[in-house]
């Protein structure tokens, strides 16, 4: 983000913040992280005849080389791992052995993207539900249109390179919901709406939004039911895009997305990512990813909780050409949002990160605790924008194995080729969105990572 809004600090935090110790989080050590990315579950450096001390030293050296590309999870106060520091890791081996894992096949390999449903004239009272009640800080924010399905499809095609991605052929419609006469109640017409798909219709509960950021919300579980009802037979997974706010249960304020991986469906809403709501979400524009790894920024958030900053020794591998450094520099040069186009790009970049995360669950991937990773869990919008768009070495191995090996029948060498091809596809997408900080940073990160892989 160019100009005075960009972070100008030099120090980067490549390990967890000091708050990790306060939270009780113990990151898997270097040897376990290396082992987690193998099919055998064994550290590849623990070769026959090599002593435990030598294995530990070589593992730590390998981890240090990886850190400027794949730093540890930040774990700042109020982050998801703060509330659940004992969340179990999922290695490649444990993912492979998951009996209910969704494996792609020639008969079931397509990702379907369902565009946000149309609001028909019979439920025109819903027309204002997608607009935040927070007054926009400028005219450009008031003119924004929600991210479209076409952009989502293009990003998915790159991120899950090798899987066909198609727009769902039917356009879903919101219509009035009419209870059967024997089940008629005294509820008002706003309590339920119907989501029509072909000749079928799913009942969707609605409610007033507890925090009043939107007029009303739709029930996520009902939307999941609708997604399951329309799942095509050849679908690897399906994602239903929503531009309306959602909630999961009565105790939930809102929900941006959820996947039922075993059912191969997920729902993602763009509503809460609207930049007009940033003023209420404690979002630091100058420290969104990749600048979220700014040490001074992390130390400042920890200091609020009474923690003293720790001295940092810069790694010899943390060079100007390392992926995270290149990402920070590229994002720093991206223009600060000032036009409707720029604000719209920022909005889409947030939706895109959540979109591939939720579909990652349809691959059987659990939340990641090994590294800062797109598959990390998140506790809210402020943490969302601090997390990276890339997959860590462990999660990348899972996707590469599913697509390159299980679907395409490639061997180990072919899988390595696939990883490079996938990086090139994502970089090409990011190039078309280079004026958006996250995508500019991601493209630079990929280019630097590809340089490392070519050595």
């Amino acid at each position: 983000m160019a100009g005075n809004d960009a972070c100008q600090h030099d120090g980067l935090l490549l390990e967890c913040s000091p708050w990790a110790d306060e939270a009780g989080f113990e990151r898997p050590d270097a040897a376990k992280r290396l082992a987690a990315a193998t099919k055998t579950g064994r550290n590849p450096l623990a070769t026959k005849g090599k002593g435990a001390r030598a294995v530990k030293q070589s593992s730590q050296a390998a981890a240090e080389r990886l850190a400027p590309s794949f730093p540890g999870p930040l774990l700042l106060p109020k982050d998801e791992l703060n509330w659940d520091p004992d969340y179990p890791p999922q290695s490649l081996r444990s993912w492979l052995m998951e009996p209910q894992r969704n494996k792609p096949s020639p008969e079931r390999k397509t990702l379907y993207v369902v565009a946000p449903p149309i609001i028909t004239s019979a439920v025109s009272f819903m027309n204002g539900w997608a607009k935040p009640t927070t007054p926009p800080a400028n005219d450009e924010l008031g003119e924004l249109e929600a991210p479209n399905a076409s952009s989502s499809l293009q990003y998915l095609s790159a991120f899950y390179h090798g899987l066909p991605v198609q727009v769902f052929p039917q356009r879903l419609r919101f219509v009035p919901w009419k209870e059967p006469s024997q089940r008629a109640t005294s509820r008002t017409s706003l309590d339920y709406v119907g989501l029509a798909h072909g000749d079928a219709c799913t009942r969707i509960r609605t409610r007033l939004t507890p925090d009043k950021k939107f007029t009303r919300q739709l029930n996520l579980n009902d939307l999941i039911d609708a997604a399951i009802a329309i799942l095509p037979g050849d679908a690897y997974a399906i994602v239903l895009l929503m531009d309306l706010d959602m909630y999961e249960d009565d105790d939930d304020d809102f929900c941006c997305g959820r996947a039922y991986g075993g059912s191969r469906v997920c729902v993602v809403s763009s509503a809460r990512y609207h930049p007009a709501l940033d003023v209420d979400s404690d979002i630091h524009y100058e420290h969104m990813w990749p600048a979220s790894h700014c040490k001074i920024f992390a130390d400042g958030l920890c200091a609020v909780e009474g923690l003293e900053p720790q001295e940092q020794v810069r790694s010899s591998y943390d060079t100007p050409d390392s992926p995270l450094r290149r990402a920070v520099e590229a994002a720093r040069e991206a223009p600060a949002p000032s036009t409707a186009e720029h604000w719209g790009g920022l909005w889409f970049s947030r939706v895109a990160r959540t979109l591939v995360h939720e579909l990652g669950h349809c691959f059987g991937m659990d939340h990641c605790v090994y590294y800062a990773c797109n598959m990390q869990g998140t506790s809210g919008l402020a943490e969302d924008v601090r997390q990276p768009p890339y997959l860590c070495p462990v999660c990348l191995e899972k996707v590469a194995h599913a697509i390159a090996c299980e679907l395409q029948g490639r061997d180990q060498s072919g899988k390595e080729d696939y990883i490079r091809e996938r990086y090139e596809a994502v970089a090409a997408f990011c190039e078309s969105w280079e004026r958006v900080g996250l995508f500019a940073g991601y493209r630079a990160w990929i280019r630097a990572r590809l340089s490392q892989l070519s050595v």
Side-chain angles (χ1 to χ4, degrees):
M1 188 174 292
N4 296 331
D5 291 329
C7 171
Q8 302 298 327
H9 302 132
D10 183 61
L12 294 178
L13 187 62
L14 302 182
E15 301 296 332
C16 300
S17 81
W19 189 254
D21 289 337
E22 292 292 316
F25 173 70
E26 293 186 16
R27 184 187 180 196
D29 64 27
K32 290 179 180 178
R33 297 199 297 271
L34 293 174
T38 68
K39 291 194 290 185
T40 62
R42 299 187 182 95
N43 183 349
L45 301 180
T47 54
K48 187 175 181 179
K50 197 171 187 179
R53 183 176 180 181
V55 170
K56 182 176 181 180
Q57 289 176 340
S58 59
S59 298
Q60 289 175 336
E64 188 176 348
R65 286 194 297 272
L66 269 180
S69 305
F70 301 101
L74 283 170
L75 211 170
L76 298 171
K78 302 179 183 178
D79 280 0
E80 178 70 14
L81 283 173
N82 172 71
W83 309 119
D84 193 4
D86 297 321
Y87 196 90
Q90 184 198 50
S91 67
L92 173 62
R93 178 174 172 78
S94 61
W95 173 81
L96 285 169
M97 298 181 68
E98 174 57 49
Q100 301 302 320
R101 181 168 63 85
N102 181 25
K103 297 181 182 181
S105 68
E107 298 77 30
R108 206 170 73 181
K109 63 181 181 180
T110 303
L111 293 177
Y112 282 94
V113 178
V114 185
I118 297 169
I119 296 175
T120 62
S121 58
V123 288
S124 59
F125 54 80
M126 297 178 65
N127 282 327
W129 291 7
K131 186 175 182 180
T133 58
T134 302
N138 54 60
D139 291 341
E140 289 75 17
L141 288 178
E143 299 170 359
L144 293 187
E145 295 185 3
N148 59 56
S150 175
S151 298
S152 296
L153 183 147
Q154 293 169 27
Y155 188 57
L156 285 174
S157 296
F159 196 90
Y160 291 116
H161 177 69
L163 287 186
V165 185
Q166 297 181 16
V167 172
F168 187 71
Q170 298 178 22
R171 192 68 186 269
L172 275 59
R173 314 176 311 281
F174 284 117
V175 298
W177 175 259
K178 296 181 180 179
E179 291 279 5
S181 57
Q182 66 271 26
R183 296 167 52 196
T185 70
S186 60
R187 291 180 180 271
T188 68
S189 61
L190 296 184
D191 289 326
Y192 303 118
V193 294
L195 185 53
H197 36 93
D199 295 331
C201 189
T202 301
R203 187 190 72 171
I204 310 295
R205 286 166 286 177
T206 86
R207 72 171 188 182
L208 291 171
T209 309
D211 63 6
K212 297 180 171 57
K213 299 300 180 186
F214 292 88
T215 306
R216 292 187 79 87
Q217 299 172 309
L218 305 185
N219 183 264
L220 170 67
N221 295 310
D222 295 344
L223 294 170
I224 288 285
D225 288 343
I228 292 173
I230 63 173
L231 183 68
D234 67 340
Y236 179 73
I238 192 169
V239 56
L240 171 57
L241 302 178
M242 297 295 299
D243 50 18
L244 302 174
D245 199 25
M246 305 187 304
Y247 73 99
E248 191 165 11
D249 54 49
D250 290 342
D251 297 325
D252 191 26
D253 281 345
F254 66 89
C255 184
C256 295
R258 186 71 74 233
Y260 281 48
S263 298
R264 299 151 43 216
V265 302
C266 61
V267 180
V268 173
S269 167
S270 63
R272 291 284 168 158
Y273 294 120
H274 195 302
L277 299 175
D278 289 358
V279 65
D280 302 317
S281 301
D282 197 28
I283 289 176
H284 300 259
Y285 281 109
E286 69 278 17
H287 288 114
M288 299 186 293
W289 186 87
S292 52
H293 286 273
C294 167
K295 186 176 185 300
I296 290 178
F297 168 66
D299 285 344
L301 291 184
C302 292
V304 172
E305 304 297 331
L307 287 187
E308 295 291 329
Q310 296 178 355
E311 184 178 355
Q312 183 181 37
V313 178
R314 183 163 173 170
S315 167
S316 59
Y317 298 103
D318 182 13
T319 68
D321 291 330
S322 64
L324 185 57
R325 290 271 171 197
R326 292 288 296 273
V328 168
E329 288 300 319
R332 187 179 287 165
E333 294 303 315
S338 59
T339 67
E341 180 183 2
H342 291 163
W343 284 112
L346 174 65
W347 190 2
F348 171 65
S349 71
R350 298 170 177 180
V351 175
R353 203 201 69 83
T354 298
L355 179 64
V356 295
H357 173 100
E358 297 302 339
L359 276 169
H361 290 312
C362 293
F363 277 78
M365 292 193 289
D366 203 345
H367 286 157
C368 181
V369 300
Y370 293 107
Y371 300 89
C373 175
N374 183 268
M375 288 308 299
Q376 280 182 261
T378 179
S379 65
L381 301 175
E383 184 178 8
D384 253 22
V385 301
R386 295 197 295 260
Q387 292 183 350
Y390 58 74
L391 293 174
C392 77
V394 179
C395 296
L396 180 57
E397 282 291 323
K398 297 171 186 175
V399 169
H401 181 84
I403 298 176
C405 299
E406 293 181 334
L407 179 61
Q408 299 177 345
R410 302 197 200 190
D411 58 12
Q412 179 63 30
S413 176
K415 184 174 71 171
E416 293 171 1
D417 290 340
Y418 167 82
I419 288 174
R420 294 182 179 88
E421 293 163 10
R422 176 187 173 276
Y423 275 145
E424 291 287 359
V426 177
F429 175 89
C430 291
E431 186 173 6
S432 65
W433 290 79
E434 62 183 357
R435 295 177 68 80
V436 179
L438 181 133
F439 292 125
Y442 195 9
R443 178 175 180 268
W445 183 95
I446 290 173
R447 290 300 174 203
R449 182 62 183 152
L450 283 170
S451 294
Q452 292 179 334
L453 294 176
S454 65
V455 174

